[in-house]
Amino acid sequence: MNLTEKIPLEQRIRYRTKNVLDSTYAAIIDYLNKNIGEKKISICVVCHSQLDEFSQRFFEMAQKFSNWDISYNIKCCYALDLSRNQNDERLYDKLSILKFNGKGRFDKDLYDDLIDIAPEYLNAGDALTARNICNFIKSFYGDSNLWNVLSISEQMLKNPIMSEYYLDLMLNDDNIQKYKNGSRYSKAMLYARMHSQEIQSIEKSERLLEQAYDAIVNSSEYVENHPSAIFSALFNRNGYALVLFRKDRVEEAKDLMVDCINKIDKLSIHDREEELELYRSVLVYNLAQCYEKLGDYNNAIISLNKLLDKDELMDTYYLDLSRIFGLVNDLDSAISSCKKATSINHYSHQNWAMLAYWQL
């Protein structure tokens, strides 16, 4: 597994994207094809309206690239127990009771079960299922944990306005403190790069980051040098570096990244060392982007190689290396980097497309 996949869900700061999910689907389809012998796979979908977007994508890929026989026999009825999992008997029984008895039977234990499951789907790249779980919960119960998962889900599904809606539910509730500064950071990123061009505002992003940063550095935890508070401040400054980058103050962004990396190297948080390593990789990656923008390709290559020393199974780093090697007309190294990317993830169309580009 690469560094991102090793991080516990509760410490994760980035999630799988649709491109990665497509690669996973391709791997599953390939595995099934190789392990069923000469048998032809036939699947009949009986309730298309209950088939989510990502399941439809899976079947579309299987049908197009592996000649699976996918047919649709649409029926109006939908049974809850079509695919009962023996490992989830307790949760299944609770949902069955709830289905037939209504809201009155929804309890906190069931909420805890469901809110723990939703991030598992986020981690797998299936934000739609995570959102569906949370929307089901929302009819009975709501708190900051629920709004947080919904915000991430909507962001992954490229619905930044809905993501902001759930962030605002947390920001506008004085009784919620758990995700306050993180919500300001996430909202700042929406305005920096995820909203449509008409809505994006680097000035609003900067204000939100500064509000969060002021709250962090004035907290008692930060004053007392609590590692988690220092980590939050460094994470915030990473976002501020993006603001500087977008304002073409790239040299300042680079210096800020170097300062953050030096500080995080001195930081230690019990049971969160992998999270720190992941965050450090984010900083080093952003530093490489600054070097590339400044035309300092040698240091950009050095930075990316440092990432690969720590996370040699992240194929996207090799793609970035290949691009920079191409900028300096080192085509042999560009091709070699792409080949390494395809060897790590040979189901990614991006890896093969880049390799084909340099080989033309």
Side-chain angles (χ1 to χ4, degrees), residues 76-324:
C76 296
C77 61
Y78 177 69
L80 182 67
D81 59 351
L82 285 175
S83 57
R84 185 166 179 167
N85 186 333
Q86 296 300 316
N87 294 324
D88 293 323
E89 287 292 319
R90 185 171 61 87
L91 180 58
Y92 172 85
D93 289 341
K94 284 187 174 184
L95 288 172
S96 298
I97 292 171
L98 183 63
K99 178 180 176 64
F100 294 108
N101 292 283
K103 294 184 179 182
R105 299 301 298 266
F106 190 90
D107 57 42
K108 186 63 167 59
D109 287 341
L110 177 56
Y111 166 80
D112 291 337
D113 287 335
L114 292 172
I115 205 65
D116 286 344
I117 288 172
E120 296 280 357
Y121 286 95
L122 288 180
N123 182 45
D126 189 351
L128 188 61
T129 298
R131 185 182 68 179
N132 288 344
I133 291 171
C134 289
N135 280 336
F136 173 80
I137 299 172
K138 193 171 64 174
S139 302
F140 310 103
Y141 196 87
D143 67 2
S144 58
N145 293 322
L146 181 65
W147 310 140
N148 184 57
V149 176
L150 276 166
S151 176
I152 296 171
S153 301
E154 296 290 1
Q155 181 179 315
M156 291 175 66
L157 292 168
K158 298 182 179 180
N159 298 323
I161 291 177
M162 284 305 300
S163 179
E164 183 176 358
Y165 168 77
Y166 290 114
L167 290 172
D168 283 340
L169 286 181
M170 293 182 282
L171 288 170
N172 296 330
D173 190 336
D174 293 335
N175 295 317
I176 295 176
Q177 297 300 322
K178 183 177 180 181
Y179 296 106
K180 270 288 194 289
N181 291 321
S183 295
R184 291 190 182 99
Y185 181 93
S186 297
K187 188 172 178 177
M189 293 301 100
L190 292 179
Y191 279 95
R193 60 186 181 186
M194 296 175 187
H195 273 312
S196 64
Q197 288 293 327
E198 297 79 9
I199 300 177
Q200 281 185 22
S201 169
I202 204 67
E203 291 76 19
K204 188 164 187 175
S205 177
E206 183 175 10
R207 286 197 301 273
L208 287 161
L209 287 166
E210 293 291 42
Q211 287 173 9
Y213 187 70
D214 287 344
I216 294 167
V217 298
N218 288 310
S219 67
S220 58
E221 292 86 355
Y222 187 87
V223 173
E224 295 169 3
N225 289 317
H226 196 284
S228 61
I230 296 172
F231 173 81
S232 296
L234 291 173
F235 194 91
N236 178 283
R237 293 299 85 184
N238 174 62
Y240 188 70
L242 174 61
V243 170
L244 295 174
F245 192 93
R246 289 292 178 84
K247 288 185 172 184
D248 288 326
R249 293 160 60 182
V250 184
E251 190 73 38
E252 292 177 66
K254 180 206 76 176
D255 291 341
L256 183 54
M257 288 295 92
V258 171
D259 182 59
C260 287
I261 291 168
N262 289 335
K263 288 178 179 177
I264 205 167
D265 284 343
K266 300 173 184 176
L267 196 60
S268 177
I269 304 179
H270 180 63
D271 290 335
R272 293 179 67 182
E273 294 303 323
E274 286 186 326
E275 181 184 8
L276 287 177
E277 192 60 53
L278 175 60
Y279 178 62
R280 187 182 188 281
S281 75
V282 172
L283 294 175
V284 175
Y285 181 82
N286 290 340
L287 176 61
Q289 306 308 302
C290 291
Y291 282 132
E292 182 181 350
K293 182 75 171 180
L294 292 167
D296 188 349
Y297 300 127
N298 184 57
N299 273 319
I301 291 170
I302 290 172
S303 297
L304 288 169
N305 278 322
K306 285 181 179 178
L307 287 173
L308 288 167
D309 287 341
K310 296 286 187 179
D311 196 3
E312 61 182 7
L313 295 179
M314 181 63 84
D315 57 313
T316 54
Y317 295 157
Y318 283 108
L319 288 187
D320 284 300
L321 262 182
S322 72
R323 183 184 67 252
I324 296 173

Side-chain angles (χ1 to χ4, degrees), residues 328-342:
V328 297
N329 294 315
D330 185 351
L331 296 186
D332 288 340
S333 295
I335 291 171
S336 176
S337 295
C338 282
K339 286 182 176 179
K340 289 177 180 176
T342 57

